[in-house]
Coordinates of all heavy atoms in Angstrom, one line a residue:
M1 N -49.2 -32.1 -32.1 CA -48.7 -32.2 -30.7 C -47.3 -31.6 -30.7 O -46.5 -31.8 -31.6 CB -48.6 -33.7 -30.3 CG -47.8 -33.9 -29.1 SD -48.5 -35.1 -28.0 CE -48.5 -36.6 -29.0
D2 N -47.0 -30.8 -29.6 CA -45.6 -30.2 -29.6 C -44.7 -31.1 -28.9 O -45.0 -32.1 -28.2 CB -45.6 -28.8 -29.1 CG -45.9 -28.7 -27.6 OD1 -45.3 -29.6 -26.9 OD2 -46.6 -27.8 -27.1
Y3 N -43.4 -30.9 -29.1 CA -42.4 -31.8 -28.7 C -42.3 -31.9 -27.2 O -41.9 -32.9 -26.7 CB -41.0 -31.5 -29.3 CG -40.4 -30.2 -28.8 CD1 -39.4 -30.4 -27.8 CD2 -40.7 -29.0 -29.2 CE1 -38.8 -29.3 -27.2 CE2 -40.1 -27.9 -28.7 CZ -39.2 -28.0 -27.7 OH -38.6 -26.9 -27.1
K4 N -42.7 -30.8 -26.5 CA -42.6 -30.9 -25.0 C -43.6 -31.8 -24.5 O -43.3 -32.6 -23.5 CB -42.8 -29.4 -24.5 CG -41.5 -28.6 -24.5 CD -41.7 -27.2 -23.9 CE -42.2 -26.3 -25.0 NZ -42.4 -24.9 -24.6
K5 N -44.8 -31.7 -25.0 CA -45.9 -32.6 -24.6 C -45.5 -34.1 -24.9 O -45.7 -35.0 -24.1 CB -47.2 -32.3 -25.3 CG -48.3 -32.0 -24.4 CD -49.6 -31.6 -25.1 CE -49.8 -30.1 -25.2 NZ -50.7 -29.6 -26.2
S6 N -44.9 -34.2 -26.1 CA -44.5 -35.6 -26.5 C -43.5 -36.1 -25.6 O -43.5 -37.3 -25.2 CB -44.0 -35.5 -27.9 OG -43.5 -36.8 -28.3
W7 N -42.5 -35.3 -25.2 CA -41.5 -35.7 -24.3 C -42.1 -36.1 -22.9 O -41.7 -37.2 -22.3 CB -40.5 -34.6 -24.1 CG -39.3 -35.0 -23.2 CD1 -38.2 -35.6 -23.6 CD2 -39.1 -34.7 -21.8 NE1 -37.3 -35.8 -22.5 CE2 -37.9 -35.3 -21.4 CE3 -39.9 -34.1 -20.9 CZ2 -37.4 -35.2 -20.1 CZ3 -39.5 -34.0 -19.6 CH2 -38.2 -34.6 -19.2
A8 N -43.0 -35.3 -22.4 CA -43.6 -35.7 -21.1 C -44.4 -37.0 -21.2 O -44.3 -37.8 -20.3 CB -44.6 -34.5 -20.7
I9 N -45.1 -37.2 -22.3 CA -45.8 -38.5 -22.4 C -44.8 -39.6 -22.6 O -45.0 -40.7 -22.0 CB -46.8 -38.4 -23.7 CG1 -47.9 -37.4 -23.5 CG2 -47.4 -39.8 -24.0 CD1 -48.7 -37.1 -24.7
L10 N -43.8 -39.4 -23.3 CA -42.8 -40.4 -23.5 C -42.1 -40.8 -22.2 O -42.1 -42.0 -21.8 CB -41.7 -39.9 -24.5 CG -40.5 -40.7 -24.8 CD1 -41.0 -42.1 -25.4 CD2 -39.7 -40.0 -25.9
V11 N -41.7 -39.9 -21.4 CA -41.0 -40.2 -20.2 C -42.0 -40.8 -19.1 O -41.7 -41.8 -18.5 CB -40.2 -39.0 -19.6 CG1 -39.7 -39.3 -18.2 CG2 -39.1 -38.6 -20.6
G12 N -43.1 -40.1 -19.0 CA -44.2 -40.6 -18.1 C -44.7 -42.0 -18.5 O -44.8 -42.8 -17.6
G13 N -44.9 -42.2 -19.8 CA -45.3 -43.5 -20.2 C -44.3 -44.6 -19.9 O -44.7 -45.7 -19.6
L14 N -43.1 -44.3 -20.1 CA -42.0 -45.3 -19.9 C -42.0 -45.6 -18.4 O -41.8 -46.8 -18.0 CB -40.7 -44.8 -20.4 CG -40.5 -44.8 -21.9 CD1 -39.1 -44.3 -22.3 CD2 -40.8 -46.2 -22.5
W15 N -42.1 -44.6 -17.5 CA -42.1 -44.9 -16.1 C -43.3 -45.7 -15.7 O -43.2 -46.7 -15.0 CB -42.1 -43.5 -15.3 CG -40.7 -43.0 -15.0 CD1 -40.1 -42.0 -15.6 CD2 -39.9 -43.6 -14.0 NE1 -38.8 -41.9 -15.1 CE2 -38.7 -42.8 -14.1 CE3 -40.0 -44.6 -13.0 CZ2 -37.6 -43.1 -13.2 CZ3 -38.9 -44.8 -12.2 CH2 -37.8 -44.1 -12.3
I16 N -44.5 -45.2 -16.0 CA -45.7 -45.9 -15.6 C -45.8 -47.3 -16.2 O -46.0 -48.2 -15.5 CB -46.9 -45.0 -16.0 CG1 -47.0 -43.7 -15.2 CG2 -48.2 -45.8 -15.8 CD1 -47.9 -42.7 -15.8
G17 N -45.5 -47.4 -17.5 CA -45.5 -48.7 -18.1 C -44.5 -49.6 -17.6 O -44.7 -50.8 -17.3
G18 N -43.3 -49.1 -17.3 CA -42.2 -49.9 -16.7 C -42.6 -50.4 -15.3 O -42.3 -51.5 -15.0
I19 N -43.2 -49.5 -14.5 CA -43.6 -49.9 -13.2 C -44.6 -51.0 -13.2 O -44.6 -52.0 -12.6 CB -44.0 -48.7 -12.4 CG1 -42.8 -47.8 -12.0 CG2 -44.7 -49.1 -11.1 CD1 -43.1 -46.4 -11.5
L20 N -45.6 -50.7 -14.1 CA -46.7 -51.7 -14.2 C -46.2 -53.1 -14.7 O -46.5 -54.1 -14.2 CB -47.7 -51.3 -15.3 CG -48.9 -50.4 -14.8 CD1 -49.7 -50.0 -16.0 CD2 -49.8 -51.2 -13.8
A21 N -45.3 -53.0 -15.7 CA -44.7 -54.3 -16.2 C -43.9 -55.0 -15.2 O -44.0 -56.2 -15.1 CB -43.9 -54.0 -17.5
A22 N -43.2 -54.2 -14.4 CA -42.3 -54.8 -13.3 C -43.2 -55.5 -12.3 O -42.9 -56.6 -11.8 CB -41.4 -53.8 -12.7
I23 N -44.3 -54.8 -11.9 CA -45.2 -55.4 -10.9 C -45.8 -56.7 -11.5 O -45.8 -57.7 -10.8 CB -46.3 -54.4 -10.6 CG1 -45.8 -53.2 -9.8 CG2 -47.5 -55.1 -9.8 CD1 -46.8 -52.0 -9.6
G24 N -46.3 -56.6 -12.7 CA -46.9 -57.8 -13.3 C -45.9 -58.9 -13.4 O -46.2 -60.1 -13.2
F25 N -44.7 -58.6 -13.8 CA -43.7 -59.6 -13.9 C -43.3 -60.2 -12.6 O -43.3 -61.5 -12.4 CB -42.4 -59.0 -14.6 CG -41.3 -59.9 -14.8 CD1 -41.4 -60.8 -15.9 CD2 -40.2 -60.0 -14.0 CE1 -40.4 -61.7 -16.1 CE2 -39.2 -60.9 -14.2 CZ -39.3 -61.8 -15.2
L26 N -43.1 -59.4 -11.6 CA -42.7 -59.9 -10.3 C -43.8 -60.7 -9.6 O -43.6 -61.7 -8.9 CB -42.2 -58.8 -9.4 CG -40.9 -58.1 -9.9 CD1 -40.6 -56.8 -9.0 CD2 -39.7 -59.1 -9.8
A27 N -45.0 -60.2 -9.7 CA -46.2 -60.8 -9.1 C -46.8 -61.9 -9.9 O -47.7 -62.6 -9.5 CB -47.3 -59.8 -8.7
K28 N -46.2 -62.1 -11.1 CA -46.6 -63.1 -12.1 C -48.1 -63.0 -12.4 O -48.9 -64.0 -12.4 CB -46.4 -64.5 -11.5 CG -44.9 -64.8 -11.4 CD -44.6 -66.3 -11.0 CE -43.2 -66.7 -11.2 NZ -42.2 -65.8 -10.4
I29 N -48.6 -61.7 -12.6 CA -49.9 -61.5 -13.1 C -49.8 -60.8 -14.4 O -49.1 -59.9 -14.6 CB -50.8 -60.7 -12.1 CG1 -50.0 -59.7 -11.3 CG2 -51.5 -61.7 -11.1 CD1 -50.8 -58.8 -10.4
D30 N -50.6 -61.4 -15.4 CA -50.5 -60.9 -16.7 C -51.0 -59.5 -17.1 O -50.3 -58.8 -17.8 CB -51.1 -61.9 -17.7 CG -50.2 -63.1 -18.0 OD1 -49.0 -63.0 -17.6 OD2 -50.6 -64.1 -18.5
P31 N -52.2 -59.1 -16.6 CA -52.8 -57.8 -17.1 C -51.9 -56.6 -16.9 O -51.7 -55.9 -17.9 CB -54.1 -57.7 -16.4 CG -54.5 -59.1 -16.0 CD -53.2 -59.8 -15.7
P32 N -51.3 -56.4 -15.7 CA -50.4 -55.2 -15.6 C -49.2 -55.4 -16.4 O -48.7 -54.4 -17.0 CB -50.1 -55.2 -14.1 CG -50.5 -56.5 -13.5 CD -51.5 -57.1 -14.4
L33 N -48.7 -56.6 -16.6 CA -47.5 -56.8 -17.4 C -47.8 -56.4 -18.9 O -47.0 -55.6 -19.4 CB -47.1 -58.3 -17.4 CG -45.9 -58.7 -18.3 CD1 -44.7 -58.0 -17.9 CD2 -45.7 -60.2 -18.2
W34 N -48.9 -56.8 -19.4 CA -49.2 -56.5 -20.8 C -49.6 -55.0 -20.9 O -49.2 -54.4 -21.9 CB -50.3 -57.4 -21.3 CG -49.8 -58.8 -21.6 CD1 -50.2 -59.9 -20.9 CD2 -48.8 -59.2 -22.5 NE1 -49.4 -61.0 -21.3 CE2 -48.6 -60.6 -22.3 CE3 -48.1 -58.5 -23.5 CZ2 -47.7 -61.3 -23.1 CZ3 -47.2 -59.2 -24.3 CH2 -47.0 -60.6 -24.1
A35 N -50.4 -54.5 -19.9 CA -50.7 -53.1 -20.0 C -49.5 -52.2 -20.0 O -49.3 -51.3 -20.7 CB -51.6 -52.7 -18.8
G36 N -48.5 -52.6 -19.1 CA -47.2 -51.9 -19.1 C -46.5 -51.9 -20.4 O -46.0 -50.9 -20.8
I37 N -46.5 -53.1 -21.0 CA -45.8 -53.2 -22.3 C -46.5 -52.3 -23.4 O -45.8 -51.6 -24.1 CB -45.7 -54.7 -22.7 CG1 -44.7 -55.4 -21.8 CG2 -45.2 -54.8 -24.2 CD1 -44.7 -56.9 -21.9
V38 N -47.8 -52.4 -23.4 CA -48.5 -51.6 -24.4 C -48.3 -50.1 -24.1 O -48.1 -49.3 -25.1 CB -50.0 -51.9 -24.3 CG1 -50.9 -50.9 -25.1 CG2 -50.3 -53.4 -24.8
I39 N -48.4 -49.7 -22.9 CA -48.1 -48.2 -22.5 C -46.8 -47.8 -23.0 O -46.6 -46.7 -23.6 CB -48.4 -48.0 -21.0 CG1 -49.8 -48.1 -20.7 CG2 -47.8 -46.6 -20.7 CD1 -50.1 -48.1 -19.2
M40 N -45.7 -48.6 -22.7 CA -44.4 -48.3 -23.2 C -44.3 -48.2 -24.7 O -43.6 -47.3 -25.2 CB -43.4 -49.3 -22.6 CG -43.1 -49.1 -21.1 SD -41.7 -50.0 -20.5 CE -42.4 -51.7 -20.5
A41 N -44.9 -49.2 -25.4 CA -44.9 -49.2 -26.8 C -45.6 -47.9 -27.4 O -45.0 -47.3 -28.3 CB -45.6 -50.4 -27.4
V42 N -46.7 -47.5 -26.8 CA -47.4 -46.3 -27.3 C -46.6 -45.1 -27.0 O -46.4 -44.2 -27.9 CB -48.8 -46.2 -26.6 CG1 -49.4 -44.8 -26.9 CG2 -49.7 -47.3 -27.1
A43 N -46.0 -45.0 -25.8 CA -45.1 -43.9 -25.5 C -44.0 -43.7 -26.4 O -43.7 -42.6 -26.9 CB -44.6 -44.0 -24.0
L44 N -43.3 -44.9 -26.8 CA -42.2 -44.8 -27.7 C -42.6 -44.4 -29.1 O -41.9 -43.7 -29.8 CB -41.5 -46.2 -27.7 CG -40.6 -46.5 -26.5 CD1 -40.2 -47.9 -26.5 CD2 -39.4 -45.6 -26.5
T45 N -43.7 -45.0 -29.5 CA -44.2 -44.7 -30.9 C -44.5 -43.2 -31.1 O -44.1 -42.6 -32.0 CB -45.4 -45.6 -31.2 OG1 -45.1 -46.9 -31.0 CG2 -45.9 -45.4 -32.7
Q46 N -45.3 -42.7 -30.1 CA -45.6 -41.3 -30.3 C -44.3 -40.4 -30.1 O -44.2 -39.4 -30.8 CB -46.8 -40.8 -29.4 CG -46.5 -40.8 -27.9 CD -45.7 -39.6 -27.5 OE1 -45.8 -38.5 -28.1 NE2 -44.8 -39.7 -26.5
G47 N -43.4 -40.8 -29.3 CA -42.2 -40.1 -29.1 C -41.4 -40.1 -30.4 O -40.8 -39.1 -30.8
D48 N -41.4 -41.2 -31.1 CA -40.7 -41.3 -32.4 C -41.3 -40.4 -33.4 O -40.6 -39.8 -34.2 CB -40.9 -42.8 -32.8 CG -39.8 -43.1 -33.9 OD1 -38.6 -42.9 -33.6 OD2 -40.2 -43.6 -34.9
L49 N -42.6 -40.2 -33.3 CA -43.3 -39.4 -34.3 C -43.2 -37.9 -33.9 O -43.1 -37.0 -34.8 CB -44.8 -39.8 -34.4 CG -45.1 -41.1 -35.0 CD1 -46.6 -41.5 -34.8 CD2 -44.7 -41.1 -36.5
F50 N -43.3 -37.6 -32.6 CA -43.5 -36.2 -32.3 C -42.4 -35.5 -31.5 O -42.3 -34.3 -31.4 CB -44.8 -36.0 -31.4 CG -46.1 -36.4 -32.2 CD1 -46.8 -37.6 -31.8 CD2 -46.5 -35.7 -33.3 CE1 -47.9 -37.9 -32.5 CE2 -47.6 -36.1 -34.0 CZ -48.3 -37.2 -33.6
Y51 N -41.5 -36.3 -30.9 CA -40.4 -35.7 -30.2 C -39.3 -35.4 -31.1 O -38.3 -36.1 -31.3 CB -39.9 -36.6 -29.0 CG -38.9 -35.9 -28.1 CD1 -39.1 -34.6 -27.7 CD2 -37.7 -36.5 -27.8 CE1 -38.1 -33.9 -27.0 CE2 -36.7 -35.9 -27.0 CZ -37.0 -34.6 -26.6 OH -36.0 -33.9 -25.9
R52 N -39.5 -34.3 -31.8 CA -38.6 -33.8 -32.8 C -38.3 -32.3 -32.7 O -39.1 -31.6 -32.1 CB -39.2 -34.0 -34.2 CG -39.3 -35.5 -34.6 CD -40.1 -35.7 -35.8 NE -40.2 -37.1 -36.2 CZ -39.3 -37.8 -37.0 NH1 -38.4 -37.1 -37.6 NH2 -39.5 -39.1 -37.2
C53 N -37.2 -31.9 -33.2 CA -36.8 -30.5 -33.2 C -37.9 -29.7 -34.0 O -38.2 -30.1 -35.1 CB -35.4 -30.3 -33.8 SG -35.0 -28.6 -34.1
P54 N -38.4 -28.7 -33.4 CA -39.4 -27.9 -34.1 C -38.8 -27.1 -35.3 O -39.6 -26.7 -36.2 CB -39.9 -26.9 -33.1 CG -38.9 -26.8 -32.0 CD -38.2 -28.2 -32.0
H55 N -37.5 -27.0 -35.4 CA -36.9 -26.3 -36.5 C -36.5 -27.2 -37.7 O -37.0 -27.0 -38.8 CB -35.6 -25.6 -36.0 CG -35.9 -24.7 -34.8 ND1 -36.6 -23.6 -34.9 CD2 -35.6 -24.9 -33.5 CE1 -36.7 -23.0 -33.6 NE2 -36.1 -23.8 -32.8
C56 N -35.8 -28.2 -37.4 CA -35.3 -29.1 -38.5 C -36.0 -30.4 -38.5 O -35.7 -31.2 -39.4 CB -33.8 -29.3 -38.4 SG -33.3 -30.2 -36.9
K57 N -36.9 -30.7 -37.5 CA -37.7 -31.9 -37.5 C -36.8 -33.2 -37.3 O -37.3 -34.3 -37.5 CB -38.5 -32.1 -38.8 CG -39.3 -30.9 -39.2 CD -40.5 -30.7 -38.2 CE -41.2 -29.4 -38.6 NZ -41.7 -28.7 -37.5
K58 N -35.6 -33.0 -36.8 CA -34.8 -34.1 -36.5 C -35.2 -34.8 -35.2 O -35.6 -34.0 -34.2 CB -33.3 -33.7 -36.5 CG -32.4 -34.9 -36.3 CD -31.5 -34.9 -37.5 CE -30.3 -35.9 -37.4 NZ -30.7 -37.3 -37.0
R59 N -35.2 -36.1 -35.1 CA -35.6 -36.8 -33.9 C -34.6 -36.5 -32.8 O -33.4 -36.4 -33.1 CB -35.7 -38.3 -34.2 CG -36.6 -39.0 -33.3 CD -36.6 -40.5 -33.6 NE -37.1 -40.7 -35.0 CZ -36.7 -41.7 -35.8 NH1 -35.8 -42.6 -35.4 NH2 -37.3 -41.9 -37.0
M60 N -35.0 -36.3 -31.6 CA -34.1 -36.0 -30.5 C -34.0 -37.2 -29.6 O -34.8 -38.0 -29.5 CB -34.5 -34.7 -29.8 CG -34.5 -33.5 -30.7 SD -34.7 -32.0 -29.8 CE -36.5 -32.0 -29.5
N61 N -32.9 -37.2 -28.8 CA -32.6 -38.3 -27.9 C -33.3 -38.0 -26.6 O -33.0 -37.1 -25.8 CB -31.1 -38.3 -27.7 CG -30.7 -39.5 -26.9 OD1 -31.6 -40.2 -26.3 ND2 -29.4 -39.7 -26.7
F62 N -34.3 -38.9 -26.3 CA -35.1 -38.7 -25.1 C -34.4 -39.2 -23.9 O -34.9 -39.0 -22.8 CB -36.5 -39.3 -25.3 CG -36.4 -40.8 -25.3 CD1 -36.4 -41.6 -24.2 CD2 -36.4 -41.5 -26.6 CE1 -36.4 -43.0 -24.3 CE2 -36.4 -42.9 -26.6 CZ -36.4 -43.6 -25.5
R63 N -33.3 -39.9 -24.0 CA -32.6 -40.5 -22.8 C -31.9 -39.4 -22.1 O -31.5 -39.5 -20.9 CB -31.6 -41.6 -23.2 CG -32.4 -42.8 -23.7 CD -31.4 -43.9 -24.2 NE -32.1 -44.9 -25.0 CZ -32.3 -44.8 -26.3 NH1 -31.9 -43.7 -26.9 NH2 -33.0 -45.7 -26.9
M64 N -31.6 -38.3 -22.8 CA -31.0 -37.2 -22.1 C -32.0 -36.2 -21.7 O -33.2 -36.2 -22.1 CB -30.0 -36.5 -23.1 CG -28.9 -37.4 -23.6 SD -27.7 -36.6 -24.6 CE -28.7 -35.8 -25.9
K65 N -31.6 -35.3 -20.8 CA -32.4 -34.2 -20.4 C -32.8 -33.4 -21.6 O -32.0 -33.3 -22.6 CB -31.7 -33.3 -19.4 CG -32.5 -32.6 -18.4 CD -31.7 -32.0 -17.3 CE -32.2 -30.7 -16.9 NZ -31.7 -29.6 -17.6
R66 N -33.9 -32.7 -21.6 CA -34.3 -32.0 -22.8 C -33.2 -30.9 -23.0 O -32.9 -30.1 -22.1 CB -35.7 -31.3 -22.7 CG -36.8 -32.2 -23.1 CD -38.0 -31.4 -23.5 NE -38.7 -30.8 -22.4 CZ -38.8 -29.5 -22.3 NH1 -38.3 -28.7 -23.3 NH2 -39.4 -28.9 -21.3
P67 N -32.6 -30.8 -24.2 CA -31.5 -29.9 -24.5 C -32.1 -28.5 -24.7 O -33.3 -28.3 -25.0 CB -30.9 -30.4 -25.7 CG -32.0 -31.1 -26.4 CD -32.9 -31.7 -25.4
E68 N -31.3 -27.5 -24.4 CA -31.7 -26.1 -24.7 C -31.7 -25.7 -26.1 O -32.4 -24.8 -26.6 CB -30.9 -25.1 -23.8 CG -31.4 -25.1 -22.4 CD -30.6 -24.1 -21.6 OE1 -30.1 -23.1 -22.1 OE2 -30.4 -24.3 -20.4
H69 N -30.7 -26.4 -26.8 CA -30.6 -26.1 -28.3 C -30.6 -27.5 -29.0 O -30.0 -28.5 -28.5 CB -29.3 -25.4 -28.6 CG -29.3 -24.0 -28.0 ND1 -28.8 -23.7 -26.7 CD2 -29.7 -22.8 -28.5 CE1 -29.0 -22.4 -26.5 NE2 -29.5 -21.9 -27.6
C70 N -31.1 -27.5 -30.2 CA -31.1 -28.7 -30.9 C -29.7 -29.1 -31.2 O -28.9 -28.3 -31.7 CB -31.9 -28.5 -32.2 SG -31.7 -29.8 -33.4
P71 N -29.3 -30.4 -31.0 CA -27.9 -30.8 -31.2 C -27.6 -30.8 -32.7 O -26.5 -30.8 -33.1 CB -27.9 -32.2 -30.7 CG -29.3 -32.7 -30.5 CD -30.1 -31.4 -30.4
E72 N -28.7 -30.8 -33.5 CA -28.5 -31.0 -35.0 C -28.3 -29.6 -35.7 O -27.4 -29.3 -36.3 CB -29.7 -31.7 -35.6 CG -29.4 -32.4 -36.9 CD -28.3 -33.4 -36.8 OE1 -28.2 -34.1 -35.7 OE2 -27.6 -33.6 -37.7
C73 N -29.3 -28.7 -35.4 CA -29.3 -27.4 -36.2 C -29.0 -26.3 -35.3 O -28.8 -25.1 -35.8 CB -30.7 -27.2 -36.9 SG -32.0 -26.9 -35.7
G74 N -28.9 -26.5 -33.9 CA -28.6 -25.4 -33.0 C -29.7 -24.5 -32.7 O -29.6 -23.5 -32.1
G75 N -30.9 -24.8 -33.3 CA -32.1 -24.0 -33.0 C -32.5 -24.0 -31.6 O -32.3 -25.0 -30.9
K76 N -33.0 -22.9 -31.1 CA -33.3 -22.8 -29.7 C -34.6 -23.6 -29.3 O -35.6 -23.6 -30.1 CB -33.6 -21.3 -29.3 CG -33.9 -21.1 -27.8 CD -33.1 -19.9 -27.2 CE -33.4 -19.7 -25.8 NZ -33.2 -20.9 -24.9
L77 N -34.5 -24.4 -28.2 CA -35.7 -25.1 -27.8 C -36.0 -24.6 -26.4 O -35.2 -24.4 -25.6 CB -35.3 -26.6 -27.6 CG -34.6 -27.3 -28.8 CD1 -34.1 -28.6 -28.4 CD2 -35.6 -27.4 -29.9
D78 N -37.3 -24.2 -26.2 CA -37.6 -23.6 -25.0 C -38.4 -24.6 -24.1 O -38.7 -25.7 -24.5 CB -38.5 -22.3 -25.1 CG -39.6 -22.5 -26.0 OD1 -39.9 -23.7 -26.4 OD2 -40.4 -21.6 -26.4
Ligands
LIG1 ZN1 -33.0 -28.9 -35.1

């Protein structure tokens, strides 16, 4: 998996999972709450594994916008 796909899944999963969990929490219904938590956990886990610089394999910070250059090795990210 390339890092761009991983980033999309990571951010999308956190949004979808977060919304589901919030709905479940506020409406006090368990299934969406747990589904949301599981989705967020999966998104974070795969991000941890795959959202890395393609040059130096260093993990990147997903809280920021995708950088144009790796903050670690300066390699170009497209
Ligand atoms: Zn790098």
Side-chain angles (χ1 to χ4, degrees):
M1 171 137 60
D2 74 41
Y3 73 95
K4 276 179 276 183
K5 237 178 259 166
S6 176
W7 183 84
I9 295 170
L10 180 53
V11 173
L14 288 179
W15 267 104
I16 293 165
I19 289 166
L20 271 177
I23 290 169
F25 182 77
L26 293 173
K28 295 187 169 55
I29 35 178
D30 280 346
L33 176 62
W34 289 112
I37 290 170
V38 169
I39 290 168
M40 286 192 286
V42 170
L44 283 170
T45 305
Q46 69 78 32
D48 199 51
L49 291 171
F50 299 113
Y51 185 47
R52 288 169 182 270
C53 171
H55 308 290
C56 66
K57 309 293 177 214
K58 187 117 172 53
R59 206 179 297 151
M60 295 190 285
N61 185 354
F62 66 85
R63 290 175 197 87
M64 299 188 302
K65 208 166 143 273
R66 271 204 294 115
E68 281 181 29
H69 295 89
C70 170
E72 203 60 33
C73 68
K76 181 135 178 57
L77 307 169
D78 54 3

